[in-house]
Amino acid sequence: MKTLAELEAIRKATLSRINLRTDEKSETTRVVIGMATCGIAAGARPVMLSFMDEIEKRHLSHVQISQTGCIGMCRLEPMVDVILPGKEKVTYVHVKPEMVPRIVAEHIVNGRPVEEYTIGAAEKN
Amino acid sequence: MDIYRAHVLVCGGTGCSSSGSATLIERFNEKIKENGLDKEVKVIRTGCFGLCEAGPVVIVYPEGTFYSRVKPENVDEIVTEHLLKGRKVEHLVYTDHATHEQDATKSLEDIGFYKHQMRIALRNCGVIDPENIDEYLAMDGYKALEKVLTKMTREEVIDEVLKSGLRGRGGGGFPTGLKWKFTYNSVADQKYVACNADEGDPGAFMDRSILEGDPHSVLEAMAIAGYAIGASQGYIYVRAEYPIAVKRLTVALNQAREYGLLGENIFGTGFNFDIHIRLGAGAFVCGEETALMHSIEGKRGEPTVRPPFPAVKGLFAKPTMLNNVETYANIPQIILKGSQWFSSIGTEKSKGTKVFALGGKINNTGLVEVPMGTTLRTIIYEIGGGCPNGKKFKAVQTGGPSGGCLPESLLDTPVDYDNLIAAGSMMGSGGMIVMDEDNCMVDIARFYLDFIVDESCGQCTPCRVGTKRMLEILNRIVEGKGKEGDIEKLEELAQTIKSTSLCALGQTAPNPILSTLKFFRDEYEAHIKEKRCPAHHCKALLQYYITDKCRGCTACARVCPGGAISGEIKKQHVIDQDKCLKCGACMEKCKFGAIIKK
Ligand SMILES: Cc1cc2nc3c(=O)[nH]c(=O)nc-3n(C[C@H](O)[C@H](O)[C@H](O)COP(=O)(O)O)c2cc1C
Ligand code: SF4
Ligand code: SF4
Ligand code: FES
């Protein structure tokens, strides 16, 4: 026998688990990781795993992680796009697992992109 | 709880299970593990997606990529390409019949098949794992029950259902709220709620899909109904031929009991409600409400005279409220979103959506749910993708053995209860069978009548004997032995059967004949007067000929099982009509299209 509060907790927890199947895309933040051969070779898998870890740790049920193929800028891989609802896409390049907690905390949670990791910063150098 | 970045949804509906989806699930799990993705990707078995024709169906989320006709050997590719590298496996992506487009970036919502649909009763089918109550809860499951038990009076619940305009989806179209109200008004120490999951209509599988894909929605609705009318016990009468549905219902019942959503003192409100499953004997007439109740009581499944109506004297002589599966599946949404939301969908007198099982000569056979008022044309062409092989549409049958066939000229009819009746057919439970130029309408009428003759319970003479007489006449007509006056005799018998049968099975049995007589009378006349079947379907009325396109390749003569074809090599061949068995093998074999039937 479950109480109403327990049922509500199950609803929340399960929703975050199945939310990628529901339609409410406008509210979701998307993290898109380049996972073609070039991305994987450059270390995209550990990056994706760190994103998953971080997001689970912080119970960010509105964040969806997906992958995409080669974007054609293999030299900048691993590349990650972060798209907040209603905001422009921000592309991070040469992403390493150590950088992920900052991207999640500053950009996904607080809405401030980590400028120094973005493609704009990389192109300047 | 673990979080996964991708979900692979494999259809576990009856259609896809029979085309091997269970093997796919095993294979996916193996391959995902092999590639070290088992912590990131989860495989889920769901209920029917509605596109059974393209089965087995697999959807990969979050992209929503729709793969069709997936074979076990394709699994490796999906795992290594799509799941590992994020590249869709284009050659497996579903092709849209309506537009012939195959667009790899296409997701579920963009496919023509889904674009015109609106899913209320099927909203969770193909989305959640039906054997996991937590997933149903996550889709606002049992919130409607919570709402009625904690915030609404019984009268308010009934009023909400009444105002929604929901009508019975089992065929009759009776206003659901009224039925609830009548049963509420009956005074008795015990009342019952019952669910009709007998679904005997040939070609129909709406209810099966709901039970397989979202069983909790029906359980929740029955509990709501129980609260509203004052019943503590429910029965689901489900056909024994639906083993997957029965299993999922059983699993769902146990999970709901475990969570205290069924049983004693639900949510601590003092409301008790539980549900029993009863397996149907598989007779079509057992779907009729009085017959169904006799069958639950362990008696013979035969209809009896109404009144008394079940709302007054039903199961075990107590007031009983019987609704269809799809009717129930709408209830939780009506409670949560309100009657106003529901009644804003559909037409003036038919609210909400209706699920149809599309079948016959149509590209996308499967299950569709559309707002009431959608035209037949939209359903058949834009959702169903039209007739296969470029054949010409001839008619659409709705309402099963109680319904009728509508011709091309009525394709713009908006589908709802009243429009279909006005057009000469009926809504019925939701079977929709498309016929093309190769279908003989006399033979179609014969098919339905044949079904009725087998399924009549035999109590009433007109239904038992009259339908048999009609069948004899139709058999004669398709065999080329039709006589002047046969049509009139059919019409006369039809009227008698309609007006003197006890239950709706008999009362509606002549409908398929009457509607084909109305719209395709010329086909009957051609059979009777000219001994000709315009669709070239009826064997007795058709002959195969070899035309001068024949190159004398001898291919036909070699396949002919009757030894009916003769001719010299490189010269035109001929068919001996006395020996011809009319099997059509020669026509199929001829590479030059030289063989015709007429
Ligand atoms: C011969 C016959 C067969 C029927 N079969 C079914 C059936 O398979 N499923 C169903 O829900 N209703 C069937 N009905 C209609 C039921 O009698 C009843 O009207 C219906 O279950 C009521 O539910 P609803 O108001 O929600 O439609 C049948 C009726 C007749 C006369
Ligand atoms: S009408 Fe036919 S099926 Fe219905 S009770 Fe009479 S004999 Fe039986
Ligand atoms: S229809 Fe069949 S039996 Fe007749 S000629 Fe062709 S192959 Fe022979
Ligand atoms: S059974 Fe799989 S789509 Fe219908």
Side-chain angles (χ1 to χ4, degrees):
Chain A
M1 172 104 178
K2 302 267 190 243
T3 64
L4 289 178
E6 282 168 330
L7 288 174
E8 203 47 45
I10 294 176
R11 282 197 184 101
K12 278 230 174 71
T14 313
L15 190 61
S16 68
R17 193 163 58 73
I18 67 173
N19 81 325
L20 66 164
R21 278 179 257 157
T22 56
D23 292 337
E24 283 138 36
K25 296 224 166 64
S26 52
E27 292 301 307
T28 19
T29 292
R30 289 176 53 221
V31 175
V32 185
I33 304 171
M35 290 282 278
T37 310
C38 52
I40 295 177
R45 285 199 59 77
V47 170
M48 182 174 71
L49 295 177
S50 330
F51 268 108
M52 288 179 60
D53 272 353
E54 257 336 277
I55 282 160
E56 190 181 356
K57 241 188 276 168
R58 293 166 170 271
H59 299 294
L60 301 175
S61 64
H62 63 290
V63 180
Q64 203 178 72
I65 300 177
S66 56
Q67 36 181 358
T68 179
C70 179
I71 314 172
M73 292 188 282
C74 311
R75 66 190 171 87
L76 298 176
E77 295 281 3
M79 290 174 48
V80 176
D81 289 338
V82 174
I83 306 145
L84 261 51
K87 294 264 170 59
E88 285 282 293
K89 169 170 91 180
V90 174
T91 303
Y92 293 105
V93 298
H94 297 308
V95 182
K96 294 186 185 53
E98 307 82 90
M99 292 151 71
V100 171
R102 238 186 103 188
I103 298 178
V104 172
E106 292 185 17
H107 189 174
I108 296 178
V109 176
N110 293 319
R112 282 181 282 110
V114 189
E115 295 294 343
E116 57 190 283
Y117 296 166
T118 60
I119 190 163
E123 296 291 71
K124 267 183 225 149
N125 300 333
Chain B
M1 189 145 335
D2 296 331
I3 146 163
Y4 294 89
R5 68 166 168 88
H7 289 176
V8 177
L9 271 58
V10 183
C11 178
T14 297
C16 294
S17 293
S18 67
S19 53
S21 64
T23 332
L24 289 184
I25 295 179
E26 273 171 39
R27 189 75 166 242
F28 265 113
N29 279 324
E30 270 168 34
K31 284 289 149 191
I32 285 171
K33 201 156 192 170
E34 238 170 66
N35 285 283
L37 298 170
D38 48 328
K39 292 256 162 13
E40 303 162 29
V41 179
K42 189 176 160 89
V43 181
I44 295 142
R45 183 180 58 187
T46 67
C48 175
F49 291 105
L51 254 180
C52 318
E53 170 265 340
V57 165
V58 172
I59 301 189
V60 179
Y61 280 99
E63 295 88 352
T65 310
F66 198 101
Y67 292 117
S68 58
R69 296 204 181 81
V70 179
K71 294 188 199 63
E73 56 269 29
N74 300 139
V75 169
D76 297 20
E77 207 178 343
I78 296 180
V79 173
T80 53
E81 280 297 300
H82 190 154
L83 296 173
L84 196 61
K85 299 183 189 152
R87 286 196 293 239
K88 290 174 190 174
V89 184
E90 316 226 353
H91 69 98
L92 297 174
V93 172
Y94 172 74
T95 311
D96 197 332
H97 277 299
T99 57
H100 298 285
E101 264 176 40
Q102 195 237 23
D103 182 346
T105 60
K106 209 165 224 178
S107 70
L108 212 54
E109 296 81 39
D110 305 326
I111 295 178
F113 181 74
Y114 289 104
K115 213 161 39 194
H116 298 274
Q117 296 198 44
M118 174 167 188
R119 302 196 142 207
I120 299 175
L122 297 177
R123 73 190 181 286
N124 288 333
C125 291
V127 177
I128 63 168
D129 176 351
E131 296 190 15
N132 184 343
I133 188 171
D134 291 355
E135 296 206 354
Y136 179 68
L137 284 167
M139 307 304 279
D140 291 337
Y142 291 101
K143 263 196 180 160
L145 180 61
E146 180 187 322
K147 182 172 173 186
V148 303
L149 291 184
T150 59
K151 296 199 188 79
M152 291 170 81
T153 64
R154 297 167 54 194
E155 295 76 14
E156 280 168 350
V157 176
I158 292 171
D159 205 41
E160 202 63 19
V161 177
L162 206 54
K163 279 194 297 197
S164 74
L166 175 66
R167 293 167 67 173
R169 303 295 193 238
F174 190 80
T176 306
L178 265 187
K179 204 189 266 189
W180 289 32
K181 193 167 180 168
F182 291 153
T183 327
Y184 165 87
N185 285 339
S186 294
V187 184
D189 53 344
Q190 171 78 56
K191 297 181 192 177
Y192 296 103
V193 166
C195 173
N196 192 340
D198 197 46
E199 199 163 53
D201 193 343
F205 56 97
M206 300 73 56
D207 296 346
R208 184 187 76 200
S209 294
I210 293 172
L211 295 175
E212 286 177 359
D214 195 16
H216 284 286
S217 66
V218 176
L219 305 185
E220 181 179 8
M222 288 179 73
I224 292 170
Y227 170 72
I229 67 157
S232 58
Q233 181 65 53
Y235 286 92
I236 301 179
Y237 188 83
V238 52
R239 32 179 46 210
E241 290 95 328
Y242 284 177
I244 302 178
V246 173
K247 173 171 171 264
R248 302 226 169 119
L249 267 177
T250 313
V251 170
L253 269 177
N254 289 333
Q255 290 176 341
R257 286 185 190 129
E258 202 182 299
Y259 276 24
L261 298 162
L262 288 177
E264 311 239 304
N265 194 15
I266 298 171
F267 299 135
T269 58
F271 173 62
N272 307 327
F273 191 78
D274 209 342
I275 296 173
H276 289 319
I277 299 177
R278 286 281 183 276
L279 295 191
F284 178 59
V285 77
C286 286
E288 194 280 334
E289 56 185 21
T290 57
L292 180 145
M293 293 186 194
H294 297 313
S295 182
I296 291 182
E297 291 167 355
K299 300 186 195 135
R300 267 184 74 122
E302 282 181 357
T304 45
V305 188
R306 298 172 306 176
F309 284 95
V312 176
K313 196 169 166 216
L315 267 178
F316 310 107
K318 302 290 182 192
T320 303
M321 220 265 319
L322 175 74
N323 278 139
N324 162 264
V325 171
E326 188 187 331
T327 312
Y328 280 123
N330 282 293
I331 295 286
Q333 291 299 297
I334 291 175
I335 297 292
L336 285 179
K337 297 192 176 168
S339 56
Q340 222 174 355
W341 161 78
F342 192 80
S343 63
S344 70
I345 305 160
T347 61
E348 192 195 337
K349 293 206 179 107
S350 304
K351 301 301 186 187
T353 56
K354 180 75 193 86
V355 183
F356 290 99
L358 271 182
K361 303 283 183 61
I362 188 145
N363 273 313
N364 296 328
T365 51
L367 215 59
V368 308
E369 180 171 356
V370 290
M372 296 276 190
T374 306
T375 64
L376 286 167
R377 194 183 297 280
T378 304
I379 300 176
I380 293 166
Y381 286 94
E382 280 165 63
I383 300 176
C387 299
N389 308 321
K391 295 274 183 177
K392 203 171 158 323
F393 169 90
K394 187 189 263 181
V396 55
Q397 212 281 347
T398 65
S402 311
C405 297
L406 301 178
E408 164 110 54
S409 59
L410 290 173
L411 273 184
D412 290 311
T413 307
V415 173
D416 72 5
Y417 291 101
D418 313 290
N419 281 324
L420 282 180
I421 289 177
S425 182
M426 65 180 275
M427 182 80 93
S429 57
M432 192 176 274
I433 297 173
V434 175
M435 287 138 205
D436 69 8
E437 54 188 304
D438 294 340
N439 286 106
C440 165
M441 299 314 286
V442 184
D443 195 53
I444 294 290
R446 201 183 62 98
F447 166 82
Y448 284 104
L449 204 60
D450 196 38
F451 178 83
I452 290 293
V453 168
D454 282 347
E455 297 293 336
S456 163
C457 82
Q459 286 187 78
C460 318
T461 315
C463 175
R464 186 184 69 239
V465 183
T467 54
K468 220 171 267 155
R469 286 293 321 282
M470 288 181 89
L471 183 62
E472 284 162 13
I473 297 175
L474 287 178
N475 278 337
R476 237 179 24 224
I477 295 176
V478 298
E479 277 161 20
K481 299 181 191 133
K483 294 193 292 251
E484 203 63 51
D486 274 352
I487 293 182
E488 290 70 21
K489 217 171 276 161
L490 282 173
E491 284 171 332
E492 196 186 307
L493 279 165
Q495 285 318 325
T496 316
I497 297 170
K498 266 173 109 79
S499 53
T500 53
S501 292
L502 185 153
C503 84
L505 185 145
Q507 289 156 10
T508 58
N511 287 356
I513 291 120
L514 291 175
S515 76
T516 46
L517 270 175
K518 180 168 169 198
F519 297 115
F520 303 96
R521 202 181 188 93
D522 53 331
E523 287 199 28
Y524 282 83
E525 282 168 352
H527 280 77
I528 298 170
K529 294 189 185 139
E530 302 162 36
K531 308 292 172 217
R532 182 173 69 83
C533 172
H536 310 305
H537 173 89
C538 296
K539 271 193 183 171
L541 298 179
L542 124 139
Q543 291 187 330
Y544 286 85
Y545 291 99
I546 300 180
T547 65
D548 57 8
K549 281 192 194 156
C550 173
R551 303 272 190 91
C553 75
T554 76
C556 58
R558 275 176 279 140
V559 294
C560 176
I565 303 181
S566 57
E568 284 171 47
I569 299 182
K570 298 198 174 152
K571 295 236 174 77
Q572 185 173 345
H573 283 45
V574 285
I575 298 175
D576 179 345
Q577 298 299 343
D578 292 334
K579 286 190 189 160
C580 174
L581 308 165
K582 301 178 185 180
C583 68
C586 53
M587 193 165 155
E588 236 166 76
K589 196 76 191 174
C590 182
K591 280 193 285 231
F592 308 102
I595 302 178
I596 55 162
K597 53 180 179 177
K598 53 179 186 192

